[in-house]
Amino acid sequence: MALKVVKLEKKSGKGDYFILPVELDYNIVPFDVVKTYFVLGGDVATKSGQHAHLKEEEFFIVLSGNVRLISLDQDGNEVFYEMTEGDGVYIPNKVWHGFDFLSERCVVIAYSSEHYNPDRSDYVEDKSLFITKYLNEK
């Protein structure tokens, strides 16, 4: 599945700052948000774990820095999306994803359709299993 990265419009504040308006409605985030969290880059560039969710949907917005999102196309080939400040992307359920690169001290906000479940039963973290069982299920 091809993901669509969108550029959110920054608005100038009354000083040396910007406002990044995000209306949490169907026009931007197509699900009811029940959890919000942040992905924070550390002192060196890094990456996050790759996985898919069976039920959970997510929407990521890069607030500062830059990231490279990794996903899979319909044939199981890796696809990369370069994202910078103000870029957002919707990740439906059953879509493989992760950050292949997080710049130093980057900040990404994540909106989720589900509460975190510590048993991780919603996660598929084995890429081969995901490709075999779920890749073209939608």
Side-chain angles (χ1 to χ4, degrees):
M1 165 181 218
L3 299 175
K4 181 180 176 188
V5 174
V6 296
K7 184 60 118 178
L8 302 173
E9 182 181 337
K10 290 192 307 186
K11 299 188 189 265
S12 295
K14 290 187 177 183
D16 191 22
Y17 68 91
F18 294 94
I19 297 169
L20 188 62
V22 178
E23 297 178 25
L24 295 181
D25 61 21
Y26 192 78
N27 292 327
I28 296 192
V29 179
F31 54 82
D32 290 334
V33 175
V34 300
K35 176 179 71 177
T36 301
Y37 63 95
F38 294 88
V39 179
L40 305 172
D43 291 336
V44 295
T46 188
K47 60 176 73 175
S48 72
Q50 296 176 31
H51 60 279
H53 297 282
L54 299 177
K55 185 176 178 186
E56 182 176 2
E57 301 170 76
E58 295 174 300
F59 193 94
F60 297 106
I61 300 171
V62 179
L63 298 179
S64 67
N66 59 304
V67 301
R68 183 173 54 235
L69 179 75
I70 186 170
S71 190
L72 299 175
D73 67 14
Q74 68 275 4
D75 298 320
N77 299 311
E78 293 181 341
V79 179
F80 298 91
Y81 300 87
E82 301 291 335
M83 298 175 62
T84 61
E85 182 180 288
D87 288 345
V89 64
Y90 167 59
I91 309 290
N93 59 10
K94 296 182 182 170
V95 170
W96 190 260
H97 64 284
F99 293 112
D100 178 63
F101 172 82
L102 295 154
S103 67
E104 294 176 33
R105 295 181 178 79
C106 72
V107 178
V108 178
I109 190 168
Y111 300 107
S112 173
S113 67
E114 304 296 320
H115 292 288
Y116 178 69
N117 186 345
D119 73 8
R120 297 177 70 83
S121 57
D122 183 53
Y123 285 69
V124 178
E125 297 176 284
D126 180 318
K127 188 196 287 187
S128 297
L129 172 67
F130 174 80
I131 290 171
T132 303
K133 190 169 182 180
Y134 299 107
L135 180 62
N136 292 308
E137 190 174 284
K138 287 197 168 246

